[in-house]
Amino acid sequence: MTKSLATIKITNLRLRTFIGFNLEEREKMQDVVINIEIRYPAQNAILEDDVEAALNYKKITKAVILHVEQGRFLLLEKLVSDVLEISCQHSWVQFARVSVDKPHALRFADSVSLTLEYHRE
């Protein structure tokens, strides 16, 4: 079998945090919806069926939850950047993409979202 890149997708992680720079946004927590995609070489996990050979997505998710729920962010860009950094901390990660939606940020839109990507050189 050839070398395989696994893709982990954490879909619609719904959290609450302080996000925004208006006074109301700084005083009241808001919903955010986070989507994370991570790619890593999974050859050892495929061959060995060993937990230690796989990327621990539960650990990543817990770190994201802790950071977001305890954080205060003026900009969506900072929040997305922080989540991306957490998502690609493990040396196995070759690629990561994080999108964060801020529902009801605009009057006539379902949400506003921002996406950032990481590519290992």
Side-chain angles (χ1 to χ4, degrees):
M1 180 178 253
T2 61
K3 191 170 184 173
S4 297
L5 276 180
T7 301
I8 295 171
K9 291 185 178 182
I10 301 165
T11 306
N12 295 335
L13 180 61
R14 290 173 174 82
L15 302 175
R16 294 185 58 75
T17 192
F18 292 96
I19 177 79
F21 49 86
N22 295 326
L23 182 59
E24 181 181 316
E25 294 173 316
R26 297 178 84 184
E27 294 176 345
K28 181 181 173 190
M29 292 183 95
Q30 297 181 68
D31 295 328
V32 291
V33 181
I34 300 172
N35 287 281
I36 302 169
E37 180 178 329
I38 300 169
R39 292 189 195 132
Y40 78 99
Q43 189 65 23
N44 291 338
I46 291 168
L47 294 175
E48 299 170 19
D49 195 25
D50 179 12
V51 172
E52 296 301 318
L55 195 63
N56 188 335
Y57 55 83
K58 186 174 183 178
K59 184 177 178 182
I60 294 167
T61 303
K62 282 184 174 185
V64 168
I65 291 168
L66 182 67
H67 184 77
V68 171
E69 289 186 339
Q70 291 184 353
R72 288 182 171 268
F73 308 92
L74 296 176
L75 299 174
L76 197 52
E77 288 83 349
K78 175 62 173 158
L79 171 58
V80 176
S81 176
D82 286 2
V83 173
L84 182 62
E85 185 176 323
I86 293 167
S87 301
C88 60
Q89 283 179 343
H90 198 288
S91 62
W92 294 348
V93 174
Q94 300 294 308
F95 169 85
R97 176 184 296 129
V98 172
S99 295
V100 176
D101 283 80
K102 187 176 170 184
H104 314 296
L106 295 174
R107 184 173 176 197
F108 297 111
D110 291 337
S111 70
V112 171
S113 67
L114 184 96
T115 302
L116 292 174
E117 293 183 358
Y118 164 84
H119 300 266
R120 184 169 305 279
E121 297 174 1

